[in-house]
């Protein structure tokens, strides 16, 4: 089990990554995350229809806060570094910009199977991208450089011949919102369901690679 206080620290660290404020979860969530997790965490579930549980875990964990027309709408590097430090235990060297293994990551807790996919090829791709961040690693695309600049989470490994699992995340969560200067809240919790929608707003979207034939645009 991962200690609640440790998870709260990671939530706060994720909140502090320099994404546009319109995509960040509210400050009160970051401040009260430990209590929120303790109360509502047991309600969280991931729904899927895949036999490849490591890939389901990869999709659930490596989610981008936003992907609009293949644009992160924020920093292109800080979330990657957050993943490296939090999940794999990497840290920046004091004397270089290289990443060094320091231990202490959450990998074994989040990926009990010890892999990102049951398919050896995709497991190696995902591992190379997220863990080692090799600059010459290839993604499932005809233009790896584009995929390293415009990111869409582990769903990036969808290509013309393979569709990554479809998932939906459910949780009960407290809700606070303001209307006309009046603050409303539901501290007992609201049922929420977040689905990973298919993206067709840019030809570079993985769904376009899988569902459409570029030569005929159908």
């Amino acid at each position: 089990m991962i200690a609640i206080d440790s998870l709260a620290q990671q939530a706060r660290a994720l909140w502090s990554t320099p994404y546009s404020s319109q995509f960040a979860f509210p400050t009160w969530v970051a401040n009260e995350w430990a209590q929120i997790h303790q109360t509502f965490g047991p309600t969280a579930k991931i729904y899927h229809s895949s036999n490849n549980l490591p890939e389901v875990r990869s999709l659930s964990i490596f989610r981008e806060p936003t992907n609009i027309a293949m644009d992160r709408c924020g920093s292109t590097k800080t979330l990657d570094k957050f993943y490296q430090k939090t999940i794999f235990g990497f840290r920046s060297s004091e004397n270089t910009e290289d990443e060094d293994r320091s231990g202490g990551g959450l990998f074994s807790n989040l990926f009990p199977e010890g892999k990102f996919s049951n398919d050896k090829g995709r497991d190696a791709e995902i591992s190379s991208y997220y863990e080692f961040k090799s600059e010459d690693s290839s993604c499932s695309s005809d233009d790896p450089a584009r995929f390293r600049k415009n990111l869409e989470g582990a769903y990036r490994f969808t290509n013309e011949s393979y569709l990554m699992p479809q998932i939906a995340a459910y949780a009960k969560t407290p809700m606070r919102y303001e209307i006309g200067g009046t603050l409303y809240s539901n501290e007992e919790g609201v049922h929420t369901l977040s689905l990973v929608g298919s993206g067709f707003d840019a030809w570079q979207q993985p769904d376009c690679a899988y569902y459409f034939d570029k030569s005929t645009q159908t």
Side-chain angles (χ1 to χ4, degrees):
M1 295 293 292
I2 308 172
I4 293 293
D5 57 348
S6 174
L7 289 171
Q9 291 174 5
Q10 303 307 336
R12 184 76 185 185
L14 177 60
W15 177 82
S16 66
T17 56
Y19 268 87
S20 173
S21 60
Q22 62 180 312
F23 301 113
F25 48 87
T27 305
W28 66 267
V29 175
N31 293 336
E32 301 175 28
W33 196 88
Q35 181 59 44
I36 292 172
H37 182 273
Q38 188 170 27
T39 303
F40 297 100
T43 70
K45 296 180 176 64
I46 297 293
Y47 292 95
H48 64 92
S49 58
S50 173
N51 293 324
N52 197 327
L53 289 181
E55 284 190 6
V56 171
R57 294 181 191 277
S58 296
L59 286 164
S60 302
I61 294 166
F62 297 124
R63 281 295 308 277
E64 293 293 324
T66 182
N67 168 16
I68 301 174
M70 297 292 286
D71 188 353
R72 263 182 165 180
C73 300
S75 171
T76 60
K77 295 181 179 181
T78 52
L79 189 61
D80 296 326
K81 290 186 178 295
F82 171 81
Y83 284 143
Q84 289 179 322
K85 178 180 179 180
T86 304
I87 298 176
F88 304 109
F90 284 86
R91 60 175 173 80
S92 296
S93 170
E94 295 180 356
N95 300 318
T96 71
E97 295 183 354
D98 295 332
E99 296 291 336
D100 299 320
R101 171 78 73 173
S102 63
L106 302 178
F107 177 80
S108 60
N109 297 93
L110 299 174
F111 294 92
E113 299 93 346
K115 54 187 177 182
F116 302 101
S117 173
N118 288 333
D119 179 86
K120 291 184 178 180
R122 276 190 299 279
D123 179 54
E125 279 191 300
I126 299 173
S127 174
S128 178
Y129 191 91
Y130 283 109
E131 183 172 6
F132 301 108
K133 207 61 179 177
S134 172
E135 290 303 322
D136 59 358
S137 64
S138 60
C139 295
S140 301
S141 164
D142 56 358
D143 185 3
R146 182 195 68 229
F147 267 59
R148 301 191 70 77
K149 181 178 180 181
N150 300 305
L151 308 175
E152 58 288 328
Y155 201 67
R156 66 167 57 84
F157 297 100
T158 286
N159 57 35
E160 61 276 1
S161 59
Y162 183 75
L163 185 68
M164 290 287 282
Q166 301 292 298
I167 66 171
Y170 164 82
K172 193 175 183 181
T173 179
M175 188 74 68
R176 299 175 191 173
Y177 55 96
E178 184 176 325
I179 299 178
T182 301
L183 180 64
Y184 298 88
S185 67
N186 185 329
E187 303 300 328
E188 294 182 358
V190 175
H191 299 284
T192 62
L193 186 68
S194 174
L195 294 86
V196 181
S198 298
F200 302 104
D201 52 1
W203 277 112
Q204 294 85 359
Q205 290 280 16
D207 288 305
C208 287
Y210 181 79
Y211 288 107
F212 289 96
D213 183 342
K214 287 184 178 180
S215 63
T216 62
Q217 295 189 3
T218 58

